Amino acid sequence: MKKLTVFLAALAMTVSACGSDSASGVKAPTALMAVALQGGAHLTWKDNSDNEASFMVQRMMGTSAWADIATLTFNMT
């Protein structure tokens, strides 16, 4: 699993491309952008792999641990 992280004020977000196994050669997403919305955020990123199984979206607020907030299927918009 490879991660790309962007920080928005006190909210940190990360998107990970996940392959079916550690030898899958999944490339990390890049150009993660986040636009704050009331009650959330709109995320976009560049998908650099054609073999990912899913994307995991995680967040960290302050100094808390990373928490999974969504798992998205590959090529989802």
Side-chain angles (χ1 to χ4, degrees):
M1 178 181 348
K2 298 181 181 178
K3 293 184 180 183
L4 169 71
T5 303
V6 66
F7 291 91
L8 285 176
L11 175 67
M13 311 228 35
T14 184
V15 175
S16 304
C18 303
S20 58
D21 58 55
S22 60
S24 64
V26 173
K27 296 177 186 168
T30 56
L32 177 60
M33 301 286 291
V35 175
L37 300 175
Q38 184 174 355
H42 176 82
L43 303 176
T44 58
W45 60 86
K46 182 175 180 350
D47 180 357
N48 294 313
S49 282
D50 61 3
N51 61 341
E52 72 274 3
S54 63
F55 288 96
M56 287 180 5
V57 179
Q58 299 175 314
R59 75 174 170 196
M60 175 179 37
M61 296 185 71
T63 59
S64 64
W66 287 100
D68 294 341
I69 59 170
T71 300
L72 309 172
T73 60
F74 66 96
N75 295 331
M76 182 179 184
T77 57

